Amino acid sequence: MLETVADPEPAARPDRRRRSIMMAVAAVLCAAMLATVIAWAAGTHRARTAQTRLDQAVASLRAADTKATRAYRKAVAAGVGEKDTTPLSKRIGLDRKLIARADTPMDAGSDERLTRSLISAERQTTRLTSELEQATRTALTAAAKARCRTALDKAEQARRDTAGLTGDQTVKAAAGTLDTAIKAADGLGAKTTASQWDSMAARLDKARDTLTKAADAKRAADQAAQAQAEAQAQAEAKAKEEAKSQTPAPAQATPAPATPKRQTSTPRATANPKPSGGQSTGQAPTWSVPSTGTDTGLPDTDPGL
């Protein structure tokens, strides 16, 4: 007997059609699943990217805020006016509000908008900080220059005060060091920084202090020497006075008594005239001896001899 070996054609066609449909459905499902996965992955990547950019923007703004705060405090300490410090102060307050908003959960769209705001704020903060730092440098430089000017005036005055003491070697060396510092200070210009002005002021003060101490020591030594010389002179004068007062005075010679001149007179009889009427007066006659002009050496006491 003969057997039929081939399948009947009508029965095979429905199975192929069914398989084709099932394969098409599976392909559609796979494509849909793949699209879903891709979309999910894309959304996740977008969200992560947005969060990363937000975190970076927050970190940058925090750093800018920290630098701005330091610049603000330094400016206030340097005496910078409110006209320069107020803009940055207000910007710092706004930055902190934006940073606080970043801690609030939000969708990807909000993250991106906040990120753009943070980036813009960071740029403004950096600009204002730079401007305030420049104003602070200007103020600090002006103050340091004024301090150096004061130190230079004091140094020049000290140099004038010690002009007459250059004979001393210590004073001379200190004066030379101060002259060098004064010359260097005169050479500073507009590009000199605040630290350079302060360094020069310190150099001038140190050189001036050294010269002042050397001059004071020289004056003290001169005064001590002068006082010693005056004391020695006074002691010598006092010793001379004492020696003079202790020396006995020389005896004075007694003058010889003057020898009186004696005159020798020759007796001379003088007759008294008789009284009128022939009567006697009862008086004895008076005798006198005229002088012969010869000194006999006898005392002239008795005119009648």
Side-chain angles (χ1 to χ4, degrees):
M1 295 178 63
L2 296 175
E3 295 180 357
T4 302
V5 295
D7 293 335
E9 185 68 20
R13 290 178 179 175
D15 293 336
R16 290 178 180 176
R17 192 179 299 114
R18 191 179 300 113
R19 285 195 299 268
S20 297
I21 294 172
M22 291 178 64
M23 290 178 64
V25 171
V28 171
L29 292 175
C30 289
M33 291 177 62
L34 181 60
T36 302
V37 171
I38 292 174
W40 176 83
T44 302
H45 177 72
R46 181 181 176 183
R48 290 179 178 176
T49 302
Q51 185 62 41
T52 300
R53 294 181 68 246
L54 179 62
D55 292 341
Q56 292 176 350
V58 170
S60 297
L61 187 56
R62 285 184 188 276
D65 181 77
T66 300
K67 184 178 180 180
T69 301
R70 287 198 300 265
Y72 176 79
R73 292 174 179 174
K74 186 176 181 180
V76 172
V80 180
E82 294 183 357
K83 180 180 178 181
D84 296 317
T85 59
T86 299
L88 183 59
S89 177
K90 292 181 178 179
R91 184 67 258 176
I92 291 173
L94 295 175
D95 291 345
R96 292 177 180 178
K97 291 180 180 180
L98 288 174
I99 293 172
R101 284 179 55 189
D103 295 333
T104 304
M106 60 187 70
D107 54 21
S110 299
D111 285 349
E112 291 178 355
R113 288 191 296 272
L114 180 58
T115 299
R116 288 192 293 268
S117 298
L118 290 168
I119 293 173
S120 177
E122 188 268 335
R123 291 174 180 172
Q124 294 180 31
T125 302
T126 301
R127 178 179 59 81
L128 292 174
T129 300
S130 178
E131 293 175 357
L132 185 58
E133 286 176 343
Q134 180 60 40
T136 302
R137 283 192 295 270
T138 301
L140 291 175
T141 301
K145 185 177 181 180
R147 289 192 293 271
C148 187
R149 181 72 259 179
T150 301
L152 181 60
D153 292 341
K154 291 181 179 180
E156 292 175 345
Q157 184 61 45
R159 191 65 184 86
R160 289 190 293 269
D161 294 341
T162 58
L165 301 175
T166 54
D168 183 79
Q169 293 299 323
T170 303
V171 176
K172 185 176 181 180
T177 301
L178 184 58
D179 288 340
T180 302
I182 291 174
K183 185 177 180 180
D186 290 335
L188 298 179
K191 295 183 179 181
T192 305
T193 63
S195 60
Q196 290 173 337
W197 284 115
D198 285 334
S199 177
M200 180 55 65
R203 179 181 175 184
L204 288 169
D205 288 339
K206 183 178 179 181
R208 176 177 58 83
D209 184 65
T210 301
L211 177 59
T212 301
K213 290 181 179 179
D216 291 342
K218 173 61 176 175
R219 294 190 185 99
D222 292 343
Q223 291 176 358
Q226 183 178 0
Q228 184 178 2
E230 291 177 355
Q232 185 176 358
Q234 292 177 358
E236 292 176 355
K238 185 177 180 181
K240 290 180 180 179
E241 291 292 335
E242 292 178 351
K244 184 177 180 181
S245 62
Q246 293 176 0
T247 301
Q252 297 181 354
T254 303
T259 303
K261 294 182 179 180
R262 304 189 62 81
Q263 294 180 355
T264 304
S265 60
T266 302
R268 183 178 57 185
T270 303
N272 291 331
K274 294 181 179 181
S276 61
Q279 296 179 1
S280 175
T281 60
Q283 294 179 355
T286 301
W287 297 87
S288 64
V289 181
S291 175
T292 60
T294 302
D295 187 5
T296 61
L298 297 177
D300 187 8
T301 59
D302 189 355
L305 298 178

